[in-house]
Amino acid sequence: VDVINMSLGARFGLPTDPSAVASSHAVRAGVIVVASAGNNGGLAYVTGSPGVSPEVITVAASISGGRRQIALATELEDAPLMPAQEGAGPVRLGPETLIYGVAVAASTDADVAVGNACEPLTNADELTGKAVIVSRGTCLFPQKYQMVQEAGGTAIILMNSSDDVSNLFVMGGIFPDEIVIPGLMITSTDGQRLLDALSNNDLPHVQFSSGFTVPTPTDLDDVIASFSSQGPGADGAGFKPDLAAPGRFTVSTQAGSGIEGVQRRGTSMAAPHVAGMAALLKQQYPDLPPASIKAMLQNSTVPSRQNGPGTELAEPLSRQGVGVMRGADASRLTSRIEPAGLSFGYINPRVSKSMKRTVQLYNMTDVERTYTGAQEIASSVSGVTVECPETVTVGASGTTDVDIRISVNANLIPTDNGQLSRLEASGWCIFDDGTDTLRIGYVAGADGASHAVLTQSPAKALMNSVRGTQAARSDGQLVNQGPQKAIAHSFVLINHDSPSRPGNIAAFGWRNTTLFTQPVLEFAVALKNSWDNPSNYRYFIRVDTDGDSSIESTLFAVDWSWLGFDPGTIITGIDFIENIEDVGSDNSVSHWMAENVDYNDRTILLPYFNAASGVNALFKPHERVLNVTLMVVDRYDNVSTLGGVIDLDNPAADQQGTHVIGAGSGVDVNGGNEGQLWIVPTNTEQHQSLVVSATQAKSAAVTQKSRPSKAKPSPESMRPAAKR
């Protein structure tokens, strides 16, 4: 096997996913592996497996330039060819010309001129044998096709709700095989032109054919498609995606149709372009390894611009990779730089620092060459500077190292306060010797850091420090010794764990608070290991309200995609069940979205609407002491648990809050009877949770009211929901 193409993937991929591991092994065996990045849009780290494998060529989707767009032909002087998009139905237009009279679908609303054909049409006698104008909206496109066909129409003209030519697409649903009519979508303005012409008897017919085309607007040339999944790779250490290729307005073979085609969009359309070009390069250079073929494809790309060619608004490289493929330019290269995509990872410094990445420039000719270096910035972060060499010389048929350096001023990087955002410095180092222009891309994620630490009163050293959690005795201060302001949240401690024990939960706390003036019971969870994207974890809090070791309800926090929605949002809710595998069933109730959760963190705040009664009620009014067990499930279904007791009448829960602590400032802390958990998401990953131990006078009353259940959940009840 020379080349494998995989137009598939699982979102939020990790290099340790089995498909990514297998792909890496294939590349190391000499096979070029190409994979689609995914179709989940601009979410950091959503690039899928197997594409997230460092060795794989991972492809984003772009809109190709130089295209011609299909058009609806009319006899109108001001619009003889109307830009259109062919429908996604089973009937494709060919070179032959189809001529139709024109009619308008009747509307059930007297104030609307054009019907949406979501119900049987009432003016079938006017539609027989004609192309029927239908408005967009309300129902899926296959239903519109079916209503027009059943009314006798022989073609459908969909009138878009927008005048944006780039917004012409006909998707949404599975078309039944019995659909035998073609369709085109036109803009709202052109649709109105047809309506005006009909009213004046100036539109005897229209014509459908694949031969009627118009040039596409150049402002879409090489633009990254909105659905294309964003990188970078896991831990920020992977440069992903690697490059982009056309993935919109693509006609490919329709499976099971014989010789028919179907128009599709997606990174599954983009990856085969790159796989095909990789095969041609492999034929041209049979002795080059997969990494070199990958580098040549990346070296010869062109940048993708957010608003089209000629603007200064480049796409961040975590969306486009090094750029959009130019196959002919790749085949003409006589030198290469590899690797051509560099990641400086996630930078979250308390002190200023610098680092470098080294790449190799290969001269594929028998003469010495000197390259002039330049830099082009795609996206920038205050305090982050990248340096490219000004000149590089390489001997005949030789190789030389090239160092790309990054400098970070910790005092200038903005602080990110847990709002699912990612600051990115990205761009290109470009090397030109008059024959070749070689482009390499770099990416660095960056956040400014606070450094809030617990100090003993009076200013004594910490009692101990463990991975992910700092612990102090009793009372003291939380002092910010970092360059940026700290955002600190205090909670009553439920329990915390030693880093040496199995499991991934560092600490667990709770408090009473309000959101949008509503009473909220909020939990804080700190993990021992940080995440790239919080969607890789699911959280379940199993609640025993009466101490009988049975579970009355389960609070949950999962990515919305587990409940059938688009990914990228952590939603909290309650389900009155015991088994976490059933969470999200019909009796579940949504509450809020997770608070203060961000990329590259390990702490999350989970709010639940604390209603006194009704379907949102977490517990009955008389249930004041709860046994709770936190379960955290990772993407590989590994389960970590940590339990404890909360007393809803504990006044300390009402005294917890959120504090903004400037550099050099501090706030008092008090462990109280139960202890205190501080969550500081603006700290570096390793120091985002801090535990204040309880005072010596541990409250016996609370521990005597109810003790944590000793019963362990059954393996069946611990299994995570298998919903993807």
Side-chain angles (χ1 to χ4, degrees), residues 468-485:
T469 301
Q470 293 176 328
R473 291 188 301 267
S474 189
D475 303 340
Q477 270 205 324
L478 187 68
V479 178
N480 182 12
Q481 300 174 355
Q484 305 294 342
K485 69 180 179 181

Side-chain angles (χ1 to χ4, degrees), residues 122-161:
T122 59
N123 61 330
D125 56 331
E126 303 173 12
L127 309 181
T128 301
K130 295 182 178 179
V132 181
I133 302 175
V134 173
S135 68
R136 180 177 181 176
T138 306
C139 62
L140 297 178
F141 295 120
Q143 186 171 349
K144 297 176 184 289
Y145 273 67
Q146 191 159 2
M147 293 298 101
V148 168
Q149 182 171 304
E150 289 178 356
T154 49
I156 183 171
I157 301 173
L158 287 154
M159 182 175 170
N160 198 11
S161 55

Side-chain angles (χ1 to χ4, degrees), residues 39 93 150 276-277 362 400 448 511 516 568 636 648 691 694:
N39 303 324
L93 294 180
E150 289 178 356
M277 191 61 224
Y362 293 83
T400 189
R511 69 182 179 186
F516 306 107
Y636 300 124
L648 296 174
V691 169

Side-chain angles (χ1 to χ4, degrees), residues 261-329:
V262 63
Q263 187 175 87
R264 294 286 186 237
R265 63 176 187 162
T267 55
S268 291
M269 297 291 99
H273 285 89
V274 176
M277 191 61 224
L280 293 175
L281 284 180
K282 180 67 175 177
Q283 178 176 313
Q284 186 176 355
Y285 299 103
D287 296 329
L288 284 183
S292 299
I293 299 294
K294 175 180 179 179
M296 293 177 72
L297 289 169
Q298 293 175 291
N299 291 156
S300 52
T301 55
V302 297
S304 172
R305 306 291 177 179
Q306 292 184 29
N307 294 333
T311 73
E312 296 302 319
L313 298 175
E315 280 282 3
L317 270 67
S318 63
R319 289 298 306 279
Q320 64 169 302
V322 182
V324 182
M325 185 177 72
R326 289 292 188 266
D329 292 342

Side-chain angles (χ1 to χ4, degrees), residues 376-640:
E376 186 176 337
I377 295 174
S379 55
S380 61
V381 177
S382 176
V384 178
T385 304
V386 176
E387 298 177 17
C388 307
E390 294 182 357
T391 59
V392 177
T393 299
V394 58
S397 302
T399 304
T400 189
D401 289 346
V402 180
D403 292 337
I404 311 299
R405 300 180 183 274
I406 188 169
S407 300
V408 180
N409 187 330
N411 297 305
L412 298 180
I413 301 178
T415 302
D416 191 352
N417 182 26
Q419 300 298 323
L420 271 181
S421 60
R422 179 179 175 275
L423 301 176
E424 177 179 308
S426 65
W428 299 269
C429 292
I430 305 166
F431 299 92
D432 192 327
D433 75 333
T435 300
D436 287 346
T437 299
L438 303 176
R439 184 176 290 267
I440 65 173
Y442 64 81
V443 168
D447 274 341
S450 60
H451 187 51
V453 297
L454 290 167
T455 61
Q456 279 301 123
S457 181
K460 293 181 180 178
L462 294 175
M463 180 178 70
N464 55 40
S465 179
V466 298
R467 174 183 172 87
T469 301
Q470 293 176 328
R473 291 188 301 267
S474 189
D475 303 340
Q477 270 205 324
L478 187 68
V479 178
N480 182 12
Q481 300 174 355
Q484 305 294 342
K485 69 180 179 181
I487 312 296
H489 310 270
S490 59
F491 290 80
V492 176
L493 180 67
I494 298 174
N495 206 346
H496 67 106
D497 201 2
S498 165
S500 61
R501 295 178 57 186
N504 189 26
I505 303 174
F508 183 29
W510 74 286
R511 69 182 179 186
N512 289 320
T513 186
T514 58
L515 285 175
F516 306 107
T517 72
Q518 299 298 314
V520 168
L521 176 65
E522 188 165 51
F523 292 92
V525 177
L527 301 186
K528 297 174 184 176
N529 301 316
S530 60
W531 57 69
D532 302 312
N533 191 301
S535 297
N536 277 322
Y537 288 96
R538 287 165 288 147
Y539 304 84
F540 305 93
I541 302 171
R542 305 170 81 232
V543 182
D544 172 11
T545 60
D546 53 16
D548 64 354
S549 299
S550 64
I551 302 303
E552 279 72 44
S553 63
T554 298
L555 310 181
F556 63 85
V558 297
D559 185 275
W560 246 357
S561 60
W562 284 87
L563 304 179
F565 299 94
D566 291 334
T569 302
I570 306 295
I571 189 77
T572 67
I574 181 172
D575 220 336
F576 298 95
I577 57 173
E578 179 173 354
N579 294 341
I580 65 173
E581 64 183 19
D582 296 326
V583 161
S585 57
D586 292 341
N587 60 345
S588 66
V589 179
S590 295
H591 279 241
W592 301 93
M593 292 182 292
E595 292 286 307
N596 292 94
V597 57
D598 200 359
Y599 305 118
N600 304 107
D601 276 5
R602 59 177 191 81
T603 60
I604 186 171
L605 308 187
L606 306 176
Y608 297 89
F609 179 45
N610 197 359
S613 61
V615 294
N616 278 302
L618 300 179
F619 32 78
K620 298 179 178 64
H622 67 277
E623 296 170 340
R624 309 309 298 163
V625 178
L626 311 177
N627 291 300
V628 293
T629 301
L630 170 67
M631 304 173 67
V632 179
V633 185
D634 68 14
R635 67 182 286 119
Y636 300 124
D637 294 345
N638 298 310
V639 181
S640 302

Side-chain angles (χ1 to χ4, degrees), residues 142-185:
Q143 186 171 349
K144 297 176 184 289
Y145 273 67
Q146 191 159 2
M147 293 298 101
V148 168
Q149 182 171 304
E150 289 178 356
T154 49
I156 183 171
I157 301 173
L158 287 154
M159 182 175 170
N160 198 11
S161 55
S162 163
D163 201 35
D164 182 2
V165 175
S166 67
N167 193 33
L168 293 174
F169 66 94
V170 187
M171 301 288 285
I174 299 174
F175 284 79
D177 293 337
E178 59 266 24
I179 296 297
V180 295
I181 63 174
L184 291 175
M185 176 180 280

